[in-house]
Structures are given as structure tokens and as C-alpha cells.
Amino acid sequence: MGVPPVLMLRRKMIIRKLSEYGAFSEESAVTLKDAGIFNPNAFKRLTKIMEKRNILTQTTDGKYYLNK
């Protein structure tokens, strides 16, 4: 069974929004809310999976940036 489309869309949205904000390092990290992610507390498991797969990194103050 594949990944549900809603999760794929959410993943793409997070990547796109963080890219638009230039969040590529700890210094440029932003919260998901500040990046314009709708309902940033939804899909917490997806966010954790993205961290585990080294797509995202969370800073100590709860901000995120992309690993590129």
C-alpha cells in the first residue's frame, strides 16, 4: 500500500514553503506557522518522519530548515 495522497501533498507543501523562506540552515530556520503551513500541528508524525529521513531539521527553539 502506498503513501496516502494527503501526506504526499503535505510533504511537498512543507518543502515548498520552507524553500520559499530560504530556510536552509539553522540561522534561517522558521517555524512551520511562520512559513505559512496551514495547521502546523497537524500531521506531527509526518514531520517526525521527514526529520528521521534527514529532509528537515528542527532547531532547539522549535524552528525547521531543509537539509540541502
Side-chain angles (χ1 to χ4, degrees):
M1 189 166 161
V3 177
V6 69
L7 294 180
M8 290 176 24
L9 290 172
R10 181 71 172 199
R11 179 181 180 272
K12 286 181 182 182
M13 179 179 55
I14 291 170
I15 292 170
R16 186 182 79 242
K17 292 287 190 174
L18 290 176
S19 291
E20 288 172 1
Y21 272 82
F24 297 109
S25 70
E26 189 168 350
E27 294 78 28
S28 61
V30 294
T31 65
L32 295 179
K33 181 179 179 182
D34 289 343
I37 304 296
F38 175 74
N39 197 359
N41 294 320
F43 304 103
K44 287 184 180 186
R45 185 165 183 249
L46 173 64
T47 304
K48 292 297 178 192
I49 290 169
M50 291 175 74
E51 286 181 72
K52 186 177 178 180
R53 292 186 179 167
N54 206 29
I55 297 168
L56 293 178
T57 296
Q58 184 178 23
T59 63
T60 56
D61 59 352
K63 296 179 180 180
Y64 290 92
Y65 62 93
L66 294 170
N67 295 312
K68 287 198 173 198

